[in-house]
């Protein structure tokens, strides 16, 4: 076992690249570098040796508008290192600018946490940028406040409409109207990355499909020098929601229960099956299979436990997979070759679903409703939104990263290594999917749930109290 120091590993990884995109709502997207504003010339200087020929399609449509457009997003240059979605988004933005040199695109590019705070602040002040990234959880509230443009007819009239995966529009649709074009790459928020050789040494040909075997394996790993069996970080509070509870909850309740919550169809957070999911979550995190500091550190630190060899498994989202892939390929080819992917094990007694993982697009390109006051400017904003979420983006991330976006595109896996092929198949072909909780409803509800669950995992409250307070927030705010 490679049992390198956690502190040294964290310092090396921080110096190498910073942290990556979190693809889920709380999620479904976090990084630890500071916010920044970046010019087109700075972006252009970061071009890499990738196939950019596919970017030309639709990037230079003739537009009447010749003024300025403001854009806010969180795909920083640091984040784009090893992150296909972020690199793809930055690449299509740069290509669109190149094709429209008479339009000044004023970009405000922030780290993800800073972005969420800043965009919420500007929404509260009715001062949103012309174009920005909308989280699914904010759709209903901001639509009711008239802050975001109804794009229903625009989407249906898009030249790319027939190739859209329309399932991804759901988090951005309320009262039959859709308010954004889903953006970036589809990716799981919940995957178990594991060291196949380490688990084989422990007596398992693959990662266990039940938690009792995980507990048995924990004894072996603790006796053989591992610090923990599964690494996890919930320091930001959203991780337990996006990367664990959304799936465990689905295993207990099934998908109809959550859809009933979204539709206000009678389901409640106090329903026994959801309380059972909370109780299991509390019990498994008290069992000792996770790192003791899981509630104090973020996913950026927790993934270093896997990279360093201190933990033979790590529960994470696609953004962490991108980072770990880039790091291991350079630093530890052996672990890179031995890394496998698995769904969360099934809790005993959970009958709602089996073998699920949550996947989706947590953000959409949205347009400030005020832009409609200038038809030419609106046409430019629509052109931008359609292009950066359209076939050019899908082909770029498919050919360069084996990822998918809003627009359907065939991905040829033959040119990718086994790690990439295995993760593609895990994400898109070999598993059943469920919804990411915090892509829906609203942030006021999830803030209560996330805070209360963290408190529960610290031993300061009960599953029943978590459910009660979350239901109260749901009744009050949704």
């Amino acid at each position: 076992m490679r049992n390198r120091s956690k502190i040294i590993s964290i310092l090396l990884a921080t110096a190498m690249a910073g942290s990556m995109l979190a693809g889920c709502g709380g999620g479904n997207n976090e990084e630890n570098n500071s916010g920044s504003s970046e010019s087109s010339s700075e972006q252009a200087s970061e071009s890499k040796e990738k196939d950019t020929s596919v970017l030309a399609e639709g990037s230079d449509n003739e537009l009447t508008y010749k003024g300025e457009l403001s854009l806010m997003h969180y795909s920083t240059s640091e984040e784009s290192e090893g992150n296909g979605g972020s690199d793809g988004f930055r690449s299509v933005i740069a290509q669109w600018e190149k094709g429209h040199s008479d339009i000044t695109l004023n970009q405000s590019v922030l780290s993800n946490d800073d972005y969420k705070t800043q965009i919420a602040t500007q929404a509260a002040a009715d001062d949103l940028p012309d174009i920005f990234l909308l989280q699914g959880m904010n759709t209903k509230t901001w639509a009711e406040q008239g802050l975001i443009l109804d794009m229903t007819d625009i989407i249906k009239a898009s030249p790319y409409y027939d190739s859209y995966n329309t399932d991804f529009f759901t988090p951005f649709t309320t009262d039959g109207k859709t308010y954004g074009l889903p953006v970036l790459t589809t990716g799981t928020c919940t995957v178990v990355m594991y060291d196949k050789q380490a688990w084989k040494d422990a007596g398992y040909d693959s990662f266990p499909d039940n938690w009792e075997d995980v507990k048995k394996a924990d004894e072996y790993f603790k006796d053989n020098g591992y610090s923990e069996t599964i690494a996890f970080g919930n320091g930001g509070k959203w991780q337990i929601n996006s990367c664990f509870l959304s799936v465990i909850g689905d295993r207990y309740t099934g998908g109809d229960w959550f859809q009933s919550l979204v539709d206000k169809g009678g389901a409640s957070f106090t329903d026994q099956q959801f309380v059972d999911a909370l109780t299991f979550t509390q019990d498994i995190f008290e069992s000792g299979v996770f790192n003791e500091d899981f509630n104090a550190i973020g996913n950026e630190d927790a993934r270093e436990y896997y990279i360093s060899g201190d933990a033979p498994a790590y529960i994470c989202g696609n953004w962490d997979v991108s980072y770990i892939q880039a790091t291991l390929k350079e630093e530890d080819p052996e672990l890179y070759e031995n890394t496998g992917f698995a769904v969360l094990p099934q809790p005993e007694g959970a009958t709602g679903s089996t073998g699920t993982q949550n996947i989706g697009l947590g953000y959409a390109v949205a347009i400030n409703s005020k832009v409609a006051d200038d038809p030419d400017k609106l046409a430019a904003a629509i052109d931008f939104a359609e292009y950066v979420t359209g076939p050019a983006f899908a082909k770029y991330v498919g050919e360069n990263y084996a990822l998918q976006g809003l627009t359907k595109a065939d991905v040829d896996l033959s040119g990718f290594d086994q790690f990439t092929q295995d993760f593609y198949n895990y994400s898109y072909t070999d598993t059943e999917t469920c919804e990411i909780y915090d892509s829906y409803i609203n942030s006021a509800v999830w803030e209560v749930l996330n805070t209360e669950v963290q408190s529960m995992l610290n031993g300061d409250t009960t599953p029943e109290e978590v459910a009660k307070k979350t239901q109260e927030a749901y009744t009050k705010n949704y």
Side-chain angles (χ1 to χ4, degrees):
M1 181 187 72
R2 307 147 311 281
N3 197 6
R4 291 176 285 176
S5 163
K6 293 177 183 176
I7 295 176
I8 292 175
S9 179
I10 291 170
L11 289 174
L12 285 172
T14 302
M16 183 181 74
S19 62
M20 298 293 125
L21 166 73
C24 295
N28 245 246
N29 302 294
E30 179 184 56
E31 60 179 343
N32 63 11
N33 50 312
S34 60
S36 62
S37 295
E38 303 181 13
S39 69
S40 305
S41 60
E42 287 172 326
Q43 287 189 333
S45 68
E46 296 159 6
S47 60
K48 300 181 177 70
E49 303 243 345
K50 297 185 179 72
D51 181 8
T52 60
S53 61
V54 296
L55 296 177
E57 181 180 348
S59 64
D60 57 354
N61 294 329
E62 187 173 347
L63 299 171
T64 302
Y65 186 68
K66 309 300 181 187
E68 297 183 354
L69 281 172
S70 58
L71 167 67
M72 183 181 289
H73 64 91
Y74 56 81
S75 286
T76 64
S77 59
E78 292 88 354
E79 179 185 302
S80 68
E81 296 296 329
N83 188 304
S86 184
D87 172 51
F89 190 54
R90 291 172 65 85
S91 296
V92 289
I93 290 173
Q95 182 70 26
W96 190 88
E97 286 185 292
K98 181 179 177 181
H100 300 92
S101 57
D102 47 6
I103 296 177
T104 301
L105 191 64
N106 296 318
Q107 298 186 55
S108 179
V109 189
L110 309 173
S111 69
N112 186 266
D113 276 356
D114 289 341
Y115 176 84
K116 288 181 213 169
T117 300
Q118 185 61 28
I119 203 69
T121 299
Q122 292 189 217
D126 191 13
D127 188 32
L128 288 167
D130 298 326
I131 308 168
F132 59 96
L133 301 190
L134 170 70
Q135 272 189 286
M137 71 172 76
N138 292 323
T139 301
K140 183 177 178 65
T141 300
W142 292 3
E144 290 175 348
Q145 295 171 349
L147 300 177
I148 46 180
L149 185 73
D150 174 8
M151 297 181 67
T152 309
D153 293 337
I154 293 167
I155 291 167
K156 290 178 179 178
S158 168
Y160 311 130
Y161 182 75
D162 289 342
S163 61
Y164 288 153
N165 187 332
T166 54
D167 289 343
F168 294 135
F169 286 102
T170 304
F172 313 103
T173 300
T174 182
D175 296 329
K177 298 177 180 179
T178 304
Y179 291 87
L181 282 159
V183 69
L184 300 171
T185 50
T186 59
T188 179
C189 278
T190 305
V191 58
V192 181
M193 300 185 73
Y194 69 102
D195 182 342
K196 291 183 287 187
Q197 186 60 54
W199 284 85
K200 188 171 290 187
D201 293 342
Y204 299 90
D205 290 334
S206 61
F207 194 80
D209 61 5
N210 66 89
W211 288 96
E212 290 307 309
D213 278 346
V214 173
K215 293 177 184 177
K216 291 177 184 176
D218 181 61
E219 298 177 10
Y220 167 85
F221 288 124
K222 296 291 176 56
D223 288 342
N224 284 273
Y226 288 88
S227 300
E228 49 270 329
T229 296
I230 303 176
F232 192 79
N234 187 46
K237 297 189 296 185
W238 61 264
Q239 293 97 337
I240 199 74
N241 186 330
S242 292
C243 303
F244 192 86
L245 187 58
S246 290
V247 172
I248 292 299
D250 180 70
R251 300 288 181 82
Y252 278 91
T253 68
D256 290 345
W257 176 86
F258 185 65
Q259 189 60 52
S260 179
L261 275 180
V262 174
D263 295 340
K264 303 181 82 171
S268 169
F269 285 100
T270 56
D271 290 338
Q272 187 59 50
Q273 61 265 46
F274 185 69
V275 175
D276 290 344
L278 291 171
T279 301
F280 169 79
T281 300
Q282 181 183 50
D283 290 345
I284 199 63
F285 275 88
E286 287 180 348
S287 71
V289 301
F290 293 95
N291 46 297
E292 292 182 356
D293 58 355
F294 69 85
N295 239 1
I297 65 171
N299 55 290
E300 300 95 342
D301 289 339
R303 66 193 178 197
E304 299 300 333
Y305 294 0
Y306 180 75
I307 291 169
S308 69
D310 288 331
Y314 172 50
I315 296 173
C316 60
N318 65 85
W319 57 93
D320 287 313
V321 175
S322 298
Y323 178 88
I324 291 172
Q325 179 178 18
T327 304
L328 291 183
K329 203 167 188 178
E330 179 178 332
E331 294 188 357
D332 195 338
E334 180 182 356
L335 182 54
Y336 182 76
E337 293 295 329
N338 279 322
T339 292
F341 306 98
V343 296
L344 292 182
Q346 186 74 2
E348 184 178 1
T351 59
S353 68
T354 57
T356 51
Q357 56 99 352
N358 54 351
I359 193 169
L361 286 168
Y363 284 87
V365 176
I367 299 173
N368 188 328
S369 59
K370 295 176 184 177
V371 176
D373 294 339
D374 184 336
D376 290 340
K377 185 176 185 180
L378 176 60
I382 292 170
D383 185 82
F384 175 88
E386 290 178 340
Y387 170 71
V388 300
T389 60
F393 175 84
K395 292 176 182 177
Y396 180 84
V397 297
E399 292 182 9
N400 292 296
Y401 295 100
L403 293 169
Q404 293 185 8
L406 169 64
T407 306
K408 298 171 185 176
D410 293 330
V411 176
D412 181 5
L413 295 177
S414 62
F416 293 97
D417 64 13
Q418 196 61 50
F419 182 108
T420 303
Q421 292 187 39
D422 288 349
F423 187 55
Y424 181 93
N425 289 327
Y426 172 89
S427 300
Y428 303 124
T429 65
D430 294 342
T431 54
E432 297 293 326
T433 61
C434 62
E435 301 295 347
I436 305 166
Y437 279 174
D438 48 13
S439 287
Y440 299 83
I441 305 182
N442 65 36
S443 56
V445 175
W446 300 126
E447 177 59 29
V448 171
L449 176 70
N450 295 350
T451 300
E452 291 300 316
V453 169
Q454 189 176 63
S455 180
M456 178 188 78
L457 297 179
N458 281 330
D460 298 329
T461 190
T462 65
E464 290 77 11
E465 191 65 20
V466 173
K468 177 184 176 183
K469 290 185 177 180
T470 304
Q471 181 60 28
E472 289 172 351
Y474 173 82
T475 302
K476 178 181 178 181
N477 296 292
Y478 186 62

